[in-house]
Short mmCIF file of all heavy atoms in Angstrom, two decimals:
data_model
loop_
_atom_site.label_atom_id
_atom_site.label_comp_id
_atom_site.label_asym_id
_atom_site.label_seq_id
_atom_site.Cartn_x
_atom_site.Cartn_y
_atom_site.Cartn_z
N THR A 739 -13.10 56.34 0.41
CA THR A 739 -12.00 55.86 1.24
C THR A 739 -10.75 56.68 0.95
O THR A 739 -10.49 57.06 -0.19
CB THR A 739 -11.73 54.36 1.00
OG1 THR A 739 -10.76 53.91 1.96
CG2 THR A 739 -11.21 54.08 -0.40
N MET A 856 -4.41 30.11 -2.90
CA MET A 856 -4.65 29.20 -4.01
C MET A 856 -3.33 28.62 -4.52
O MET A 856 -3.24 27.41 -4.79
CB MET A 856 -5.38 29.91 -5.15
CG MET A 856 -5.93 28.96 -6.21
SD MET A 856 -7.36 28.01 -5.63
CE MET A 856 -8.66 29.26 -5.71
N GLU A 880 1.07 44.87 -5.60
CA GLU A 880 1.50 46.24 -5.34
C GLU A 880 0.29 47.15 -5.37
O GLU A 880 -0.59 47.03 -6.22
CB GLU A 880 2.56 46.71 -6.34
CG GLU A 880 2.10 46.88 -7.77
CD GLU A 880 3.22 47.39 -8.69
OE1 GLU A 880 4.18 46.64 -8.92
OE2 GLU A 880 3.10 48.53 -9.16
N LYS A 902 -8.81 58.36 11.31
CA LYS A 902 -8.12 57.44 12.21
C LYS A 902 -7.74 56.19 11.42
O LYS A 902 -8.37 55.14 11.58
CB LYS A 902 -9.00 57.08 13.40
CG LYS A 902 -9.41 58.26 14.26
CD LYS A 902 -10.34 57.81 15.37
CE LYS A 902 -10.79 58.99 16.21
NZ LYS A 902 -11.74 58.56 17.29
N ASP A 911 -16.93 43.97 13.01
CA ASP A 911 -17.37 45.04 13.90
C ASP A 911 -18.65 45.70 13.36
O ASP A 911 -18.83 45.84 12.15
CB ASP A 911 -16.27 46.08 14.05
CG ASP A 911 -16.59 47.11 15.12
OD1 ASP A 911 -16.44 46.78 16.31
OD2 ASP A 911 -17.01 48.23 14.76
N HIS A 989 -10.98 34.90 6.31
CA HIS A 989 -10.65 35.84 5.25
C HIS A 989 -11.10 37.24 5.66
O HIS A 989 -10.36 38.22 5.46
CB HIS A 989 -11.33 35.44 3.94
CG HIS A 989 -11.05 36.35 2.80
ND1 HIS A 989 -9.79 36.49 2.25
CD2 HIS A 989 -11.85 37.18 2.08
CE1 HIS A 989 -9.82 37.37 1.26
NE2 HIS A 989 -11.06 37.80 1.14
N ILE A 998 -20.41 38.62 7.33
CA ILE A 998 -21.60 37.92 7.82
C ILE A 998 -21.65 36.50 7.24
O ILE A 998 -21.85 35.52 7.97
CB ILE A 998 -22.88 38.70 7.46
CG1 ILE A 998 -22.93 40.03 8.21
CG2 ILE A 998 -24.13 37.87 7.76
CD1 ILE A 998 -24.04 40.95 7.75
#
Side-chain angles (χ1 to χ4, degrees):
T739 188
M856 193 72 76
E880 67 179 68
K902 299 177 182 178
D911 188 78
H989 180 65
I998 293 171

